Amino acid sequence: MFLFALGGFILFSAAAGAAPSIGLLVAARLAQGIASGSLAPQNSALIQQMFTGAERGRAFGFFGATIGIATAVGPVVGGLILAVASWRWIFYVNVPIGLAALVLAARLLPRPPRSRRGARGQLDPVGVLLLGGGVLAAMLPLVQAEAGGLRTLWWLFPGGAALLGAFAWWETRAVRRGRQPLLDPHLLTGTPGYAGGIALGTVYFVGFSGIWLVLALYFQEGLGWSPLHSGLAVTPFSAGSAAAAVVAGRLVDRFGRRLTVLGLVTVVVGLVSTAVILRYAPAWAVAPALLIGGVGSGLVISPNVTMTLRNVPVRMAGAAGGALQTGQRVGAAVGTALLPGLYYVVLATTHRNSVAVMVAVCSAAAAVAVALLIAGAEWRADRRRPAPEPNPDLRAHAASG
Protein backbone atom coordinates (compact mmCIF):
# COMPACT_ATOMS: atom_id res chain seq x y z
CA MET A 1 0.00 0.00 0.00
CA PHE A 2 2.87 2.34 0.81
CA LEU A 3 4.52 1.71 -2.56
CA PHE A 4 1.25 1.90 -4.48
CA ALA A 5 0.23 5.21 -2.86
CA LEU A 6 3.69 6.71 -3.28
CA GLY A 7 3.73 5.71 -6.95
CA GLY A 8 0.33 7.36 -7.44
CA PHE A 9 1.53 10.54 -5.76
CA ILE A 10 4.50 10.71 -8.15
CA LEU A 11 2.34 10.07 -11.20
CA PHE A 12 -0.31 12.66 -10.31
CA SER A 13 2.34 15.23 -9.34
CA ALA A 14 3.69 14.94 -12.87
CA ALA A 15 0.14 15.18 -14.25
CA ALA A 16 -0.49 18.36 -12.23
CA GLY A 17 2.69 19.93 -13.57
CA ALA A 18 1.75 19.08 -17.15
CA ALA A 19 -1.93 20.06 -16.87
CA PRO A 20 -2.95 22.23 -19.87
CA SER A 21 -6.03 23.70 -18.15
CA ILE A 22 -7.35 24.64 -14.73
CA GLY A 23 -9.91 21.82 -14.83
CA LEU A 24 -7.27 19.16 -15.45
CA LEU A 25 -5.03 20.74 -12.81
CA VAL A 26 -7.82 20.45 -10.24
CA ALA A 27 -8.47 16.83 -11.27
CA ALA A 28 -4.78 15.97 -10.96
CA ARG A 29 -4.61 17.67 -7.56
CA LEU A 30 -7.65 15.69 -6.41
CA ALA A 31 -5.99 12.44 -7.47
CA GLN A 32 -2.75 13.59 -5.85
CA GLY A 33 -4.66 14.20 -2.60
CA ILE A 34 -6.20 10.72 -2.73
CA ALA A 35 -2.75 9.18 -3.17
CA SER A 36 -1.34 11.32 -0.37
CA GLY A 37 -4.23 10.39 1.92
CA SER A 38 -3.57 6.72 1.18
CA LEU A 39 0.14 7.16 1.91
CA ALA A 40 0.02 9.11 5.18
CA PRO A 41 -1.49 6.41 7.46
CA GLN A 42 1.07 3.86 6.29
CA ASN A 43 3.86 5.89 7.92
CA SER A 44 2.43 5.71 11.43
CA ALA A 45 1.19 2.13 10.92
CA LEU A 46 4.61 0.89 9.80
CA ILE A 47 6.34 2.61 12.71
CA GLN A 48 3.84 1.10 15.12
CA GLN A 49 4.30 -2.38 13.63
CA MET A 50 8.10 -2.26 13.47
CA PHE A 51 8.90 -0.63 16.85
CA THR A 52 7.75 -1.03 20.44
CA GLY A 53 8.24 0.83 23.72
CA ALA A 54 10.82 3.59 23.89
CA GLU A 55 12.10 2.72 20.40
CA ARG A 56 8.69 3.60 18.96
CA GLY A 57 8.82 7.03 20.59
CA ARG A 58 12.27 7.67 19.10
CA ALA A 59 11.06 6.50 15.69
CA PHE A 60 8.12 8.91 15.83
CA GLY A 61 10.57 11.59 16.96
CA PHE A 62 12.68 11.14 13.84
CA PHE A 63 9.49 11.07 11.79
CA GLY A 64 8.47 14.39 13.31
CA ALA A 65 11.94 15.82 12.72
CA THR A 66 11.72 14.81 9.07
CA ILE A 67 8.39 16.62 8.78
CA GLY A 68 9.93 19.67 10.44
CA ILE A 69 12.90 19.73 8.08
CA ALA A 70 10.64 19.27 5.06
CA THR A 71 8.41 22.07 6.31
CA ALA A 72 11.45 24.31 6.62
CA VAL A 73 12.88 23.43 3.23
CA GLY A 74 9.56 23.46 1.34
CA PRO A 75 8.74 27.20 1.41
CA VAL A 76 12.36 28.13 0.63
CA VAL A 77 12.64 25.71 -2.29
CA GLY A 78 9.20 26.78 -3.49
CA GLY A 79 10.30 30.41 -3.43
CA LEU A 80 13.46 29.56 -5.37
CA ILE A 81 11.46 27.63 -7.97
CA LEU A 82 9.02 30.50 -8.47
CA ALA A 83 11.93 32.91 -8.75
CA VAL A 84 13.81 31.00 -11.46
CA ALA A 85 11.30 28.69 -13.18
CA SER A 86 7.65 28.06 -13.99
CA TRP A 87 5.04 27.25 -11.34
CA ARG A 88 4.80 23.81 -12.96
CA TRP A 89 8.08 22.85 -11.32
CA ILE A 90 6.37 23.12 -7.94
CA PHE A 91 4.84 19.77 -8.94
CA TYR A 92 7.63 18.39 -11.12
CA VAL A 93 10.08 18.59 -8.21
CA ASN A 94 8.11 15.80 -6.50
CA VAL A 95 8.98 13.36 -9.28
CA PRO A 96 12.73 12.79 -8.73
CA ILE A 97 12.34 12.94 -4.94
CA GLY A 98 9.42 10.52 -5.09
CA LEU A 99 11.24 8.09 -7.39
CA ALA A 100 14.23 8.01 -5.04
CA ALA A 101 11.89 7.35 -2.11
CA LEU A 102 10.11 4.64 -4.09
CA VAL A 103 13.35 2.78 -4.81
CA LEU A 104 14.52 3.07 -1.21
CA ALA A 105 11.16 1.94 0.17
CA ALA A 106 11.08 -1.08 -2.14
CA ARG A 107 14.55 -2.09 -0.93
CA LEU A 108 14.38 -1.20 2.77
CA LEU A 109 10.82 -1.77 3.99
CA PRO A 110 10.38 -5.28 5.41
CA ARG A 111 8.20 -7.79 3.61
CA PRO A 112 4.93 -8.84 5.28
CA PRO A 113 5.18 -12.00 7.41
CA ARG A 114 4.39 -15.17 5.49
CA SER A 115 1.31 -15.74 7.61
CA ARG A 116 -0.13 -12.46 6.33
CA ARG A 117 0.82 -12.74 2.66
CA GLY A 118 -2.24 -13.21 0.53
CA ALA A 119 -4.55 -12.21 3.38
CA ARG A 120 -7.40 -10.05 2.25
CA GLY A 121 -8.86 -7.31 4.41
CA GLN A 122 -12.58 -6.63 4.24
CA LEU A 123 -13.60 -3.34 2.69
CA ASP A 124 -16.27 -1.04 4.08
CA PRO A 125 -17.47 1.02 1.09
CA VAL A 126 -20.59 2.26 2.90
CA GLY A 127 -18.46 3.51 5.78
CA VAL A 128 -16.10 5.23 3.36
CA LEU A 129 -18.99 7.02 1.62
CA LEU A 130 -20.64 8.09 4.88
CA LEU A 131 -17.42 9.39 6.43
CA GLY A 132 -16.25 11.05 3.22
CA GLY A 133 -19.62 12.69 2.65
CA GLY A 134 -19.85 13.90 6.23
CA VAL A 135 -16.36 15.41 6.24
CA LEU A 136 -16.93 17.03 2.82
CA ALA A 137 -20.24 18.55 3.92
CA ALA A 138 -18.70 19.94 7.10
CA MET A 139 -15.64 21.36 5.38
CA LEU A 140 -16.99 22.76 2.10
CA PRO A 141 -18.71 25.83 3.61
CA LEU A 142 -15.51 26.62 5.52
CA VAL A 143 -13.28 26.21 2.47
CA GLN A 144 -15.64 28.48 0.52
CA ALA A 145 -16.01 30.97 3.38
CA GLU A 146 -14.17 33.75 1.55
CA ALA A 147 -16.59 33.41 -1.38
CA GLY A 148 -19.68 33.52 0.87
CA GLY A 149 -19.82 29.79 1.55
CA LEU A 150 -20.96 30.19 5.15
CA ARG A 151 -23.98 32.16 3.97
CA THR A 152 -24.95 30.04 0.98
CA LEU A 153 -23.84 26.56 2.08
CA TRP A 154 -24.76 26.65 5.79
CA TRP A 155 -27.31 23.88 5.20
CA LEU A 156 -24.44 21.44 4.63
CA PHE A 157 -23.50 21.57 8.33
CA PRO A 158 -26.60 19.69 9.58
CA GLY A 159 -26.34 17.38 6.58
CA GLY A 160 -22.72 16.62 7.45
CA ALA A 161 -23.63 16.00 11.10
CA ALA A 162 -26.34 13.56 9.98
CA LEU A 163 -23.91 11.69 7.74
CA LEU A 164 -21.31 11.46 10.51
CA GLY A 165 -24.00 10.18 12.88
CA ALA A 166 -24.99 7.58 10.29
CA PHE A 167 -21.31 6.63 9.97
CA ALA A 168 -21.07 6.00 13.74
CA TRP A 169 -24.25 3.87 13.61
CA TRP A 170 -23.02 1.90 10.59
CA GLU A 171 -19.64 1.14 12.15
CA THR A 172 -21.25 -0.03 15.39
CA ARG A 173 -23.60 -2.23 13.36
CA ALA A 174 -20.66 -3.69 11.43
CA VAL A 175 -18.91 -4.68 14.67
CA ARG A 176 -22.08 -6.31 16.05
CA ARG A 177 -22.38 -8.38 12.87
CA GLY A 178 -18.76 -9.50 12.99
CA ARG A 179 -17.64 -7.46 9.99
CA GLN A 180 -14.50 -5.38 9.73
CA PRO A 181 -15.43 -1.70 10.08
CA LEU A 182 -13.60 1.24 8.56
CA LEU A 183 -13.03 2.54 12.10
CA ASP A 184 -13.74 0.24 15.05
CA PRO A 185 -15.77 2.25 17.62
CA HIS A 186 -13.87 0.43 20.37
CA LEU A 187 -10.79 2.43 19.37
CA LEU A 188 -12.58 5.57 20.53
CA THR A 189 -14.46 4.14 23.51
CA GLY A 190 -12.13 1.44 24.82
CA THR A 191 -8.58 2.53 23.97
CA PRO A 192 -7.11 4.83 26.64
CA GLY A 193 -5.86 8.11 25.25
CA TYR A 194 -6.94 7.52 21.66
CA ALA A 195 -10.06 9.70 21.43
CA GLY A 196 -8.38 12.53 23.36
CA GLY A 197 -5.31 12.32 21.15
CA ILE A 198 -7.40 12.64 17.98
CA ALA A 199 -9.27 15.62 19.44
CA LEU A 200 -5.99 17.27 20.46
CA GLY A 201 -4.41 16.74 17.04
CA THR A 202 -7.48 18.04 15.20
CA VAL A 203 -7.76 21.23 17.23
CA TYR A 204 -4.02 21.85 17.24
CA PHE A 205 -3.81 21.64 13.46
CA VAL A 206 -6.50 24.34 13.16
CA GLY A 207 -3.99 26.82 14.58
CA PHE A 208 -0.77 25.19 13.43
CA SER A 209 -1.69 24.89 9.74
CA GLY A 210 -3.66 28.12 9.42
CA ILE A 211 -0.82 30.46 10.38
CA TRP A 212 1.36 29.61 7.38
CA LEU A 213 -1.01 31.05 4.80
CA VAL A 214 -1.71 34.05 7.05
CA LEU A 215 2.01 34.80 7.39
CA ALA A 216 2.55 34.32 3.65
CA LEU A 217 -0.27 36.78 2.92
CA TYR A 218 1.14 39.31 5.36
CA PHE A 219 4.73 39.05 4.20
CA GLN A 220 3.97 38.99 0.46
CA GLU A 221 0.85 41.16 0.12
CA GLY A 222 1.27 43.35 3.18
CA LEU A 223 5.03 43.91 3.08
CA GLY A 224 5.73 43.15 -0.58
CA TRP A 225 8.25 40.40 0.11
CA SER A 226 9.06 37.76 -2.50
CA PRO A 227 7.97 34.13 -1.97
CA LEU A 228 11.61 33.25 -1.25
CA HIS A 229 11.95 35.98 1.36
CA SER A 230 8.63 34.91 2.89
CA GLY A 231 9.75 31.29 3.05
CA LEU A 232 13.02 32.22 4.74
CA ALA A 233 11.13 34.29 7.32
CA VAL A 234 9.22 31.27 8.69
CA THR A 235 12.20 28.90 8.63
CA PRO A 236 13.02 29.40 12.35
CA PHE A 237 9.71 27.77 13.32
CA SER A 238 10.38 24.68 11.22
CA ALA A 239 14.00 24.43 12.29
CA GLY A 240 13.02 24.59 15.96
CA SER A 241 10.31 22.00 15.39
CA ALA A 242 12.71 19.57 13.68
CA ALA A 243 15.32 19.82 16.44
CA ALA A 244 12.79 19.51 19.27
CA ALA A 245 11.03 16.52 17.67
CA VAL A 246 14.20 14.39 17.88
CA VAL A 247 14.61 15.24 21.56
CA ALA A 248 10.91 14.68 22.23
CA GLY A 249 11.10 11.21 20.72
CA ARG A 250 13.62 10.24 23.40
CA LEU A 251 11.63 11.81 26.24
CA VAL A 252 8.04 10.87 25.45
CA ASP A 253 8.28 7.41 27.02
CA ARG A 254 9.45 9.03 30.26
CA PHE A 255 7.30 12.14 30.50
CA GLY A 256 4.20 11.19 28.49
CA ARG A 257 1.47 13.82 28.25
CA ARG A 258 3.49 16.29 30.32
CA LEU A 259 5.63 16.74 27.23
CA THR A 260 2.69 17.76 25.05
CA VAL A 261 1.40 20.10 27.77
CA LEU A 262 4.80 21.81 27.93
CA GLY A 263 4.95 21.97 24.15
CA LEU A 264 1.51 23.51 23.80
CA VAL A 265 2.28 26.16 26.44
CA THR A 266 5.44 27.00 24.49
CA VAL A 267 3.54 27.23 21.19
CA VAL A 268 0.98 29.60 22.72
CA VAL A 269 3.79 31.81 24.07
CA GLY A 270 5.54 31.77 20.68
CA LEU A 271 2.41 32.61 18.69
CA VAL A 272 1.26 35.42 21.00
CA SER A 273 4.78 36.86 20.90
CA THR A 274 4.75 36.58 17.10
CA ALA A 275 1.43 38.45 16.91
CA VAL A 276 2.65 41.28 19.16
CA ILE A 277 5.97 41.64 17.32
CA LEU A 278 4.32 41.75 13.88
CA ARG A 279 1.95 44.44 15.15
CA TYR A 280 4.41 46.71 16.92
CA ALA A 281 7.95 45.86 15.69
CA PRO A 282 9.81 45.30 12.43
CA ALA A 283 8.95 41.99 10.80
CA TRP A 284 12.54 40.71 10.88
CA ALA A 285 12.39 40.74 14.71
CA VAL A 286 9.86 37.89 14.68
CA ALA A 287 12.47 35.13 14.18
CA PRO A 288 13.06 34.38 17.93
CA ALA A 289 9.32 34.14 18.61
CA LEU A 290 8.84 31.76 15.68
CA LEU A 291 11.77 29.68 16.91
CA ILE A 292 10.13 29.38 20.35
CA GLY A 293 6.84 28.36 18.77
CA GLY A 294 8.64 25.80 16.60
CA VAL A 295 10.39 24.22 19.57
CA GLY A 296 7.03 23.87 21.27
CA SER A 297 5.49 22.34 18.14
CA GLY A 298 8.25 19.74 18.05
CA LEU A 299 7.17 18.69 21.55
CA VAL A 300 3.53 18.31 20.42
CA ILE A 301 3.03 16.56 17.08
CA SER A 302 5.24 13.45 17.33
CA PRO A 303 4.64 12.87 21.07
CA ASN A 304 0.90 13.18 20.50
CA VAL A 305 1.05 10.54 17.76
CA THR A 306 3.04 8.26 20.09
CA MET A 307 0.69 8.77 23.04
CA THR A 308 -2.45 8.44 20.90
CA LEU A 309 -1.38 5.14 19.32
CA ARG A 310 0.51 3.56 22.22
CA ASN A 311 -2.43 1.40 23.41
CA VAL A 312 -3.79 0.60 19.94
CA PRO A 313 -3.43 -3.07 18.95
CA VAL A 314 -1.04 -3.54 16.06
CA ARG A 315 -3.77 -5.20 13.97
CA MET A 316 -5.68 -1.87 14.12
CA ALA A 317 -2.63 0.32 13.48
CA GLY A 318 -3.61 1.25 9.93
CA ALA A 319 -7.19 2.26 10.78
CA ALA A 320 -6.09 4.07 13.94
CA GLY A 321 -3.35 5.99 12.13
CA GLY A 322 -5.71 6.80 9.29
CA ALA A 323 -8.33 8.26 11.65
CA LEU A 324 -5.66 10.34 13.40
CA GLN A 325 -4.38 11.64 10.07
CA THR A 326 -7.95 12.40 8.95
CA GLY A 327 -8.53 14.47 12.08
CA GLN A 328 -5.33 16.41 11.51
CA ARG A 329 -6.19 17.02 7.84
CA VAL A 330 -9.68 18.24 8.77
CA GLY A 331 -8.18 20.58 11.35
CA ALA A 332 -5.64 21.83 8.81
CA ALA A 333 -8.36 22.48 6.21
CA VAL A 334 -10.51 24.36 8.73
CA GLY A 335 -7.58 26.48 9.90
CA THR A 336 -6.41 27.20 6.37
CA ALA A 337 -9.91 28.40 5.48
CA LEU A 338 -10.85 30.31 8.64
CA LEU A 339 -7.66 32.14 9.62
CA PRO A 340 -6.96 33.76 6.21
CA GLY A 341 -10.67 34.60 5.99
CA LEU A 342 -10.41 36.32 9.37
CA TYR A 343 -7.29 38.13 8.18
CA TYR A 344 -9.16 39.57 5.20
CA VAL A 345 -12.20 40.53 7.29
CA VAL A 346 -10.05 42.49 9.75
CA LEU A 347 -8.03 43.99 6.87
CA ALA A 348 -11.21 45.18 5.16
CA THR A 349 -12.38 46.79 8.40
CA THR A 350 -9.13 48.40 9.59
CA HIS A 351 -7.09 48.66 6.36
CA ARG A 352 -4.03 47.77 8.42
CA ASN A 353 -2.14 44.56 7.61
CA SER A 354 -0.35 44.51 10.97
CA VAL A 355 -3.67 44.54 12.85
CA ALA A 356 -5.09 41.80 10.60
CA VAL A 357 -2.10 39.51 11.08
CA MET A 358 -2.11 40.09 14.84
CA VAL A 359 -5.78 39.09 15.14
CA ALA A 360 -5.34 36.02 12.92
CA VAL A 361 -2.22 34.76 14.72
CA CYS A 362 -3.84 35.37 18.13
CA SER A 363 -6.82 33.31 16.91
CA ALA A 364 -4.42 30.51 16.02
CA ALA A 365 -2.99 30.78 19.55
CA ALA A 366 -6.54 30.46 20.90
CA ALA A 367 -7.01 27.20 18.99
CA VAL A 368 -3.73 25.91 20.42
CA ALA A 369 -4.95 26.93 23.90
CA VAL A 370 -8.02 24.71 23.40
CA ALA A 371 -5.67 21.85 22.48
CA LEU A 372 -3.80 22.64 25.71
CA LEU A 373 -7.00 22.14 27.71
CA ILE A 374 -7.49 18.74 26.04
CA ALA A 375 -3.88 17.78 26.78
CA GLY A 376 -4.29 18.80 30.41
CA ALA A 377 -7.39 16.64 30.73
CA GLU A 378 -5.56 13.69 29.15
CA TRP A 379 -2.62 14.21 31.52
CA ARG A 380 -4.92 14.06 34.54
CA ALA A 381 -6.66 10.99 33.11
CA ASP A 382 -3.30 9.26 32.56
CA ARG A 383 -2.37 9.87 36.19
CA ARG A 384 -5.59 8.19 37.35
CA ARG A 385 -5.25 5.17 35.06
CA PRO A 386 -3.41 2.06 36.23
CA ALA A 387 -0.29 1.13 34.30
CA PRO A 388 -1.41 -0.65 31.09
CA GLU A 389 -0.80 -4.35 30.70
CA PRO A 390 1.58 -5.32 27.90
CA ASN A 391 -0.37 -5.49 24.66
CA PRO A 392 -0.71 -9.14 23.52
CA ASP A 393 -0.54 -8.05 19.89
CA LEU A 394 2.79 -6.38 20.61
CA ARG A 395 4.14 -9.44 22.43
CA ALA A 396 3.15 -11.67 19.52
CA HIS A 397 4.65 -9.26 17.02
CA ALA A 398 7.91 -9.02 18.98
CA ALA A 399 8.10 -12.80 19.30
CA SER A 400 7.54 -13.29 15.58
CA GLY A 401 10.19 -10.65 14.87
Side-chain angles (χ1 to χ4, degrees):
M1 189 65 188
F2 183 97
L3 297 175
F4 177 78
L6 180 56
F9 182 79
I10 298 168
L11 175 64
F12 298 126
S13 294
S21 67
I22 291 295
L24 291 176
L25 174 60
V26 171
R29 288 287 284 159
L30 177 62
Q32 189 183 20
I34 292 172
S36 178
S38 302
L39 177 63
Q42 313 311 321
N43 295 312
S44 56
L46 284 168
I47 290 175
Q48 192 173 4
Q49 290 172 4
M50 294 166 61
F51 300 93
T52 59
E55 287 186 348
R56 181 184 292 171
R58 289 194 289 271
F60 275 122
F62 281 111
F63 179 52
T66 304
I67 294 174
I69 293 171
T71 304
V73 172
V76 178
V77 173
L80 283 171
I81 290 173
L82 292 176
V84 302
S86 165
W87 63 267
R88 296 181 183 278
W89 282 95
I90 294 291
F91 300 106
Y92 287 147
V93 73
N94 292 334
V95 175
I97 297 173
L99 288 174
L102 192 65
V103 172
L104 290 172
R107 294 186 59 184
L108 298 178
L109 288 180
R111 302 294 181 187
R114 289 185 178 180
S115 60
R116 295 180 59 190
R117 292 179 186 175
R120 293 180 179 269
Q122 294 177 320
L123 297 179
D124 182 13
V126 175
V128 170
L129 291 174
L130 289 173
L131 178 60
V135 171
L136 177 62
M139 286 174 53
L140 188 59
L142 298 173
V143 174
Q144 296 293 320
E146 190 178 341
L150 291 176
R151 184 181 66 259
T152 59
L153 300 175
W154 62 268
W155 52 272
L156 285 175
F157 286 126
L163 287 172
L164 292 175
F167 170 74
W169 171 81
W170 178 263
E171 298 303 279
T172 303
R173 178 175 179 268
V175 171
R176 285 202 306 264
R177 296 194 172 191
R179 298 174 182 173
Q180 183 175 337
L182 180 67
L183 177 64
D184 193 328
H186 292 129
L187 279 173
L188 297 173
T189 60
T191 305
Y194 183 72
I198 287 184
L200 191 159
T202 301
V203 175
Y204 178 73
F205 268 74
V206 172
F208 169 75
S209 299
I211 61 171
W212 304 118
L213 184 52
V214 168
L215 292 176
L217 291 171
Y218 176 68
F219 289 142
Q220 296 179 42
E221 294 185 1
L223 301 182
W225 290 3
S226 68
L228 176 58
H229 193 180
S230 175
L232 289 171
V234 299
T235 299
F237 189 103
S238 302
S241 177
V246 176
V247 177
R250 296 181 176 274
L251 298 178
V252 64
D253 195 56
R254 177 180 176 184
F255 293 102
R257 280 292 176 196
R258 285 177 290 175
L259 203 60
T260 54
V261 169
L262 174 62
L264 288 165
V265 170
T266 307
V267 174
V268 171
V269 171
L271 290 182
V272 172
S273 301
T274 297
V276 173
I277 291 171
L278 291 177
R279 173 66 179 91
Y280 296 106
W284 56 264
V286 80
L290 287 174
L291 179 62
I292 292 171
V295 170
S297 185
L299 302 179
V300 175
I301 297 178
S302 295
N304 183 58
V305 174
T306 303
M307 299 296 294
T308 302
L309 300 179
R310 64 175 177 171
N311 294 315
V312 172
V314 170
R315 61 186 172 82
M316 297 183 180
L324 178 59
Q325 292 282 347
T326 297
Q328 292 178 349
R329 298 287 80 76
V330 170
V334 171
T336 304
L338 286 184
L339 293 182
L342 180 61
Y343 173 87
Y344 279 122
V345 168
V346 176
L347 181 61
T349 303
T350 65
H351 304 287
R352 303 185 68 175
N353 294 90
S354 60
V355 175
V357 74
M358 180 183 70
V359 172
V361 175
C362 282
S363 299
V368 177
V370 174
L372 176 60
L373 295 176
I374 298 172
E378 283 296 307
W379 181 20
R380 290 192 296 271
D382 280 348
R383 295 175 65 182
R384 293 194 296 266
R385 293 186 190 115
E389 294 293 328
N391 193 310
D393 285 349
L394 297 182
R395 288 201 302 267
H397 177 73
S400 66

